[in-house]
């Protein structure tokens, strides 16, 4: 209904601009209220299980498994979008100062801190990546952060396949996706008492209303705060 109404408005706007009709009657019609999509996310037990599985695989030392752990850790540590992680270059990530520069929507840049677990996973991956780059020689992409076995930048589909493979083992029926890690990042920060504005900045949302969709998951925390703080709770 909303899409149809938008098309009608645009059509009458065109007619009015070209003086085919005297006015745009569709302007006075209110749009239906759209329900906000409730994103899927992992609880603390699920996220612990996810990294346990990834760490066990990475301990074997295979390049792909070490890379998988680094990707999962970076997603959960920063909450960045799939396209943002896929487009990362080596110079944009600083493991010493533990931060990464991300180019988001509209080419807007933001700085996101990186946690200790992610830094360790990335350092291990960088060691394996450097070994692969030396073996491949000059034909490899030395600028990309995440590369495939051929030395080329890892594509969006490759990252999706890496992440969803692990998520399916957590809950195959939940329909979890790469974006679920972004939702999980925001949810866990808010559950721990993080400021909504800070989470908005970390996620790179232009409007705080976009970030507010995550507050539904924090209702239990708010209830605990209320019970503890309100004199007649």
């Amino acid at each position: 209904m909303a899409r149809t109404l938008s098309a009608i408005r645009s059509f009458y706007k065109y007619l009015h601009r070209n003086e085919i009709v005297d006015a745009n009657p569709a302007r006075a019609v209110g749009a239906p209220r759209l329900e906000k999509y409730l994103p899927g996310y992992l609880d603390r037990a699920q996220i612990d299980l996810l990294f346990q599985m990834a760490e066990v695989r990475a301990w074997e030392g295979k390049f792909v498994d070490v890379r998988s752990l680094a990707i999962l850790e970076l997603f959960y540590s920063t909450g960045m979008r799939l396209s943002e992680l896929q487009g990362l270059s080596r110079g944009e990530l600083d493991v010493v100062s533990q931060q990464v520069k991300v180019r988001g929507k509209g080419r807007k840049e933001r700085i996101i801190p990186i946690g200790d677990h992610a830094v360790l996973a990335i350092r291990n991956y960088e060691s394996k990546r450097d070994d692969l780059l030396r073996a491949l020689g000059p034909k490899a992409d030395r600028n990309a952060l995440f590369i495939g076995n051929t030395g080329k930048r890892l594509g969006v589909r490759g990252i999706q396949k890496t992440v969803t493979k692990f998520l399916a083992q957590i809950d195959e029926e939940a329909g979890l996706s790469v974006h679920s890690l972004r939702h999980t990042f925001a949810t866990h920060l808010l559950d721990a008492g993080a400021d909504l504005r800070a989470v908005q900045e970390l996620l790179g949302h232009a409007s705080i209303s976009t970030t507010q969709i995550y507050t539904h998951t924090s209702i239990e925390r708010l209830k605990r705060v209320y019970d503890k703080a309100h004199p007649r709770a």
Side-chain angles (χ1 to χ4, degrees):
M1 289 173 62
R3 287 196 297 267
T4 301
L5 181 57
S6 176
I8 292 172
R9 281 192 182 126
S10 298
F11 176 60
Y12 271 101
K13 183 178 180 181
Y14 165 81
L15 295 176
H16 186 229
R17 186 171 60 243
N18 288 276
E19 300 181 350
I20 299 173
V21 297
D22 295 331
N24 182 352
R27 290 181 62 184
V29 182
R33 185 179 181 87
L34 300 178
E35 292 185 6
K36 288 186 176 181
Y37 168 67
L38 205 60
Y41 69 98
L42 289 79
D43 60 29
R44 291 296 297 272
Q46 288 176 318
I47 206 71
D48 288 343
L49 179 59
L50 174 71
F51 285 113
Q52 285 173 14
M53 292 191 303
E55 286 168 358
V56 168
R57 297 285 295 273
W59 286 339
E60 298 178 5
K62 295 180 181 178
F63 171 75
V64 172
D65 295 329
V66 173
R67 185 188 63 193
S68 295
L69 178 59
I71 288 172
L72 290 169
E73 287 282 11
L74 193 56
F75 266 131
Y76 180 59
S77 185
T78 64
M80 67 175 69
R81 301 176 178 92
L82 170 59
S83 59
E84 294 170 343
L85 185 138
Q86 190 271 334
L88 282 178
S89 297
R90 298 173 70 176
E92 293 169 334
L93 188 144
D94 188 344
V95 292
V96 176
S97 59
Q98 297 193 200
Q99 62 184 34
V100 59
K101 181 168 67 174
V102 177
R103 288 184 175 86
K105 292 183 177 179
R107 304 298 294 174
K108 293 181 180 178
E109 293 186 357
R110 67 186 190 279
I111 303 294
I112 309 176
I114 308 172
D116 292 339
H117 290 281
V119 167
L120 178 60
I122 291 167
R123 284 186 184 275
N124 291 335
Y125 161 70
E126 286 179 332
S127 176
K128 294 290 183 181
R129 182 195 60 199
D130 291 344
D131 290 341
L132 179 61
L133 289 174
R134 282 191 290 269
L136 292 172
K139 64 179 181 179
D141 187 343
R142 298 179 179 274
N143 185 50
L145 178 60
F146 291 109
I147 61 173
N149 287 322
T150 60
K152 295 182 180 180
R153 180 183 290 272
L154 193 62
V156 168
R157 292 293 298 274
I159 297 173
Q160 284 178 323
K161 185 178 179 180
T162 295
V163 175
T164 54
K165 177 182 67 176
F166 283 97
L167 293 178
Q169 296 179 61
I170 299 295
D171 191 339
E172 192 173 4
E173 304 299 324
L176 297 171
S177 66
V178 175
H179 214 57
S180 299
L181 291 179
R182 180 169 163 87
H183 300 327
T184 304
F185 165 82
T187 298
H188 290 181
L189 281 177
L190 289 168
D191 281 346
D195 179 72
L196 189 63
R197 289 285 182 184
V199 176
Q200 175 193 0
E201 188 173 343
L202 289 169
L203 291 173
H205 286 159
S207 170
I208 198 167
S209 62
T210 309
T211 315
Q212 285 174 331
I213 192 171
Y214 301 105
T215 58
H216 73 278
T217 62
S218 303
I219 188 64
E220 293 304 320
R221 177 181 61 83
L222 293 175
K223 285 180 179 179
R224 291 195 297 269
V225 172
Y226 177 85
D227 291 338
K228 184 177 179 180
H230 198 285
R232 297 179 67 85

